[in-house]
Amino acid sequence: WSFAPELVGTEAFIKAMAQYDIVTSLAHTDAKYDDAKRRMEVDLHEIKESTFEPDPDKCYKPVIYLYPEEPTDVSVKLDYEGTLTCTYPKYESGWNVTAHPDGSITDENGITYNYLYWEGENGMECDFSEGFCVKDEDTAAFLEDALEKLGLTRTEANEFIVYWLPLMQENPYNVISFQTEAYTEGAVLEIDPNPDSLLRVFMAYYPSDVAVEMEAQSFTPFERVGFAVVEWGGCELAMP
């Protein structure tokens, strides 16, 4: 394993891994910093798989990308019908940041982020009148195709998939529906200046031991124009 120079130090590496629920414990040897490659390298042993399981009452990892046409001071406020359980950078009465055309975000302290992150608990009732039933081995290919049709870039889709795929691929089937009104009405975004184009992708799914027949969901093409804002997130529901 290797990681960026700002995480120099094995303890920092362990903490970084734990943030993503990849491992719960590990042992290491031969930690060293490679000056030429500008990275820390460490051999890991005795990795114990995480026991993390999604809470069915939580919206997990909604992330908000900001893409202005030029560096712009942006205010983002979230009116959420629930309780925020984690935000990064920290959400006070809102996020006030400088957004750049490449998608990078800088706060008032000069710290740079790839996106705004939040997580919360609420009692959202999801709509499964339309959707998809996907076999375990087909999950990755399905997500790649669906996210492209929804309008995510390859980078955005990759970040979505690497978060959700490990939680889905061992289920015999995943019953999936991308939410619109049910999600956006309970998590209203107020963005200043107002974006020219806004895409909010929220996947709800539940595992199933058997195939479920349902009407296929259709997607509306998304056109990125001007100041574009993109958000994705999801939740796992208990099997009915």
Side-chain angles (χ1 to χ4, degrees):
W1 289 82
S2 64
F3 53 99
E6 60 265 24
L7 293 178
V8 172
T10 306
E11 293 304 316
F13 174 70
I14 294 173
K15 290 179 180 178
M17 296 282 282
Q19 285 181 346
Y20 292 93
D21 301 304
I22 298 172
V23 297
T24 54
S25 66
L26 53 83
H28 66 277
T29 59
D30 300 327
K32 62 181 179 180
Y33 183 70
D34 188 320
D35 290 313
K37 297 180 179 179
R38 289 179 49 77
R39 67 184 186 187
M40 176 69 79
E41 298 181 349
V42 59
D43 293 331
L44 304 182
H45 308 279
E46 301 175 12
I47 297 177
K48 180 181 178 182
E49 184 177 358
S50 171
T51 57
F52 169 77
E53 293 183 1
D55 185 325
D57 294 323
K58 277 191 178 182
C59 295
Y60 277 97
K61 205 184 179 182
V63 297
I64 303 168
Y65 304 88
L66 307 174
Y67 302 106
E69 295 182 289
E70 59 185 20
T72 304
D73 291 335
V74 180
S75 169
V76 180
K77 294 183 179 180
L78 174 65
D79 183 4
Y80 183 56
E81 293 182 1
T83 302
L84 293 176
T85 56
C86 185
T87 61
Y88 187 74
K90 187 175 181 179
Y91 183 91
E92 299 289 354
S93 56
W95 287 294
N96 294 289
V97 297
T98 300
H100 304 272
D102 64 358
S104 62
I105 298 169
T106 307
D107 68 12
E108 59 184 6
N109 297 314
I111 300 175
T112 300
Y113 308 86
N114 292 332
Y115 43 67
L116 305 175
Y117 162 82
W118 68 273
E119 180 178 288
E121 296 179 343
N122 71 0
M124 180 179 67
E125 294 186 7
C126 295
D127 179 9
F128 279 88
S129 59
E130 296 180 347
F132 309 90
C133 183
V134 184
K135 291 188 67 175
D136 51 0
E137 65 265 27
D138 298 332
T139 304
F142 166 79
L143 291 176
E144 289 172 352
D145 180 65
L147 296 174
E148 180 180 6
K149 290 178 178 177
L150 283 163
L152 295 190
T153 66
R154 184 65 195 133
T155 297
E156 293 160 358
N158 180 76
E159 292 178 341
F160 182 107
I161 292 170
V162 298
Y163 181 83
W164 286 106
L165 183 61
L167 305 176
M168 303 173 71
Q169 64 182 356
E170 301 303 323
N171 301 328
Y173 295 91
N174 290 292
V175 181
I176 301 168
S177 182
F178 291 91
Q179 304 298 299
T180 51
E181 288 85 1
Y183 172 64
T184 57
E185 290 179 0
V188 179
L189 286 179
E190 180 182 330
I191 304 170
D192 184 27
N194 194 50
D196 300 300
S197 51
L198 172 65
L199 175 64
R200 305 187 72 188
V201 174
F202 189 84
M203 177 189 70
Y205 79 97
Y206 64 85
S208 177
D209 293 328
V210 297
V212 175
E213 291 190 6
M214 58 195 311
E215 184 176 347
Q217 189 173 18
S218 60
F219 301 129
T220 302
F222 173 66
E223 182 180 1
R224 295 182 187 230
V225 294
F227 173 25
V229 174
V230 176
E231 179 191 45
W232 64 253
C235 67
E236 177 182 344
L237 305 178
M239 187 184 302

